[in-house]
Amino acid sequence: MIKVLLVDREGISSEGLRLIIEREREMKWVGTYFQKEEVIHAVQEKQPDIVVFHIHQSHHTVIELTKEIKSISKQIKIIYILSFIEPTFITNSIKAGVEGYFLSHSDHTNFVSMIKNIYHNHYVITEDIAVTILQQFQKGDEKQRLHAKLLEKEIDLTWRELDIAFLIYQRKKNKEIAQSLHLKEKTVRDYVSIIYKKLGVNKRLLVINLLEKLIAEESGDNF
């Protein structure tokens, strides 16, 4: 019997997930919890095999809670149900020990299969999420090439400055950058000012244009 615990606010979505699980003879629903203290207590008391997070909360909070659950028992498998794909969050959560990812709009029969596969020690990522992660790694390579190109021009950005500069290149706003990197928006603004100074520009569009030019030059070198 596979015991499943859900981390979610009570509501239509959590009720739907409960009904899906309860229809399966091989599975047992052991409860829905949301507050951190409740989740930890339930995990210790009910000893679930699978903990499913329906992601609504702060991403940082979710990952920290995942780490705590894994510290209680590494045998507990973790699944994240996502309403949208955020590659950086997925990458960080993989490091925290998450075994499966499922998009909330996907077919529920695939969700049941995912639980069974993960219970039997398989990692499961839906195709659209896998493609996004692959694209993120490709962008990571692009970022490293950009860093090398900047060094050629004697522009030495720290790794954090490079992260932010690359997100600016992707036309992300400061608020989006802060959420992606788990920083305060003021901290991002401070970094942006440093990046402007190092690049010798005073406008965001000029940063984007400069980085686009460098990346285009790098791409041209590969032919």
Side-chain angles (χ1 to χ4, degrees):
M1 185 68 69
I2 304 173
K3 295 189 292 184
V4 182
L5 182 149
L6 175 65
V7 180
D8 191 13
R9 297 186 181 95
E10 293 285 357
I12 293 175
S13 62
S14 62
E15 181 67 11
L17 288 170
R18 181 183 68 80
L19 292 173
I20 290 169
I21 298 303
E22 289 185 339
R23 284 201 296 263
E24 298 296 316
R25 292 182 180 180
E26 303 172 37
M27 299 182 189
K28 179 181 179 180
W29 191 258
V30 298
T32 301
Y33 305 89
F34 183 68
Q35 298 298 331
K36 176 182 176 181
E37 294 76 14
E38 294 178 342
V39 173
I40 294 300
H41 178 74
V43 167
Q44 293 170 332
E45 180 182 7
K46 299 179 183 293
Q47 299 182 353
D49 300 297
I50 305 283
V51 174
V52 178
F53 282 82
H54 198 177
I55 306 299
H56 298 293
Q57 308 125 292
S58 158
H59 287 174
H60 177 74
T61 301
V62 169
I63 290 176
E64 290 306 311
L65 183 52
T66 296
K67 290 177 180 178
E68 287 198 43
I69 291 172
K70 285 292 187 178
S71 71
I72 294 171
S73 173
K74 293 188 181 299
Q75 299 306 312
I76 297 173
K77 307 299 194 300
I78 307 291
I79 296 174
Y80 282 3
I81 298 178
L82 308 170
S83 56
F84 61 93
I85 303 172
E86 185 181 326
T88 301
F89 171 62
I90 293 173
T91 301
N92 290 337
S93 58
I94 288 173
K95 294 175 183 177
V98 177
E99 283 88 1
Y101 299 87
F102 190 80
L103 287 174
S104 55
H105 60 264
S106 300
D107 189 333
H108 74 272
T109 57
N110 294 331
F111 180 61
V112 170
S113 298
M114 170 181 276
I115 290 176
K116 293 177 181 178
N117 284 327
I118 288 174
Y119 177 74
H120 292 291
N121 298 315
H122 298 290
Y123 286 83
V124 182
I125 300 177
T126 57
E127 183 179 354
D128 40 10
I129 294 176
V131 168
T132 301
I133 293 173
L134 179 60
Q135 290 172 343
Q136 180 72 2
F137 281 121
Q138 290 171 338
K139 288 177 181 177
D141 292 339
E142 186 179 42
K143 183 166 63 175
Q144 300 313 314
R145 292 197 303 270
L146 175 62
H147 187 219
K149 205 69 178 180
L150 286 166
L151 289 175
E152 285 179 14
K153 297 184 178 299
E154 299 184 350
I155 300 172
D156 188 7
L157 300 184
T158 66
W159 287 113
R160 178 58 81 192
E161 290 164 2
L162 182 65
D163 287 340
I164 293 172
F166 195 71
L167 288 169
I168 291 173
Y169 158 72
Q170 294 178 317
R171 287 173 164 74
K172 300 292 186 183
K173 297 179 181 178
N174 286 353
K175 184 176 181 180
E176 294 173 307
I177 294 173
Q179 291 173 343
S180 177
L181 299 179
H182 306 296
L183 298 172
K184 293 181 180 179
E185 195 170 347
K186 180 184 181 303
T187 303
V188 173
R189 288 198 301 269
D190 291 341
Y191 273 118
V192 170
S193 296
I194 294 171
I195 292 167
Y196 282 6
K197 185 175 181 180
K198 287 189 174 183
L199 296 183
V201 299
N202 58 5
K203 291 182 180 179
R204 202 178 196 89
L205 183 59
L206 294 177
V207 172
I208 294 171
N209 290 341
L210 174 60
L211 298 182
E212 283 181 342
K213 182 179 178 182
L214 288 175
I215 289 175
E217 288 176 358
E218 179 64 17
S219 298
D221 291 343
N222 293 329
F223 290 101

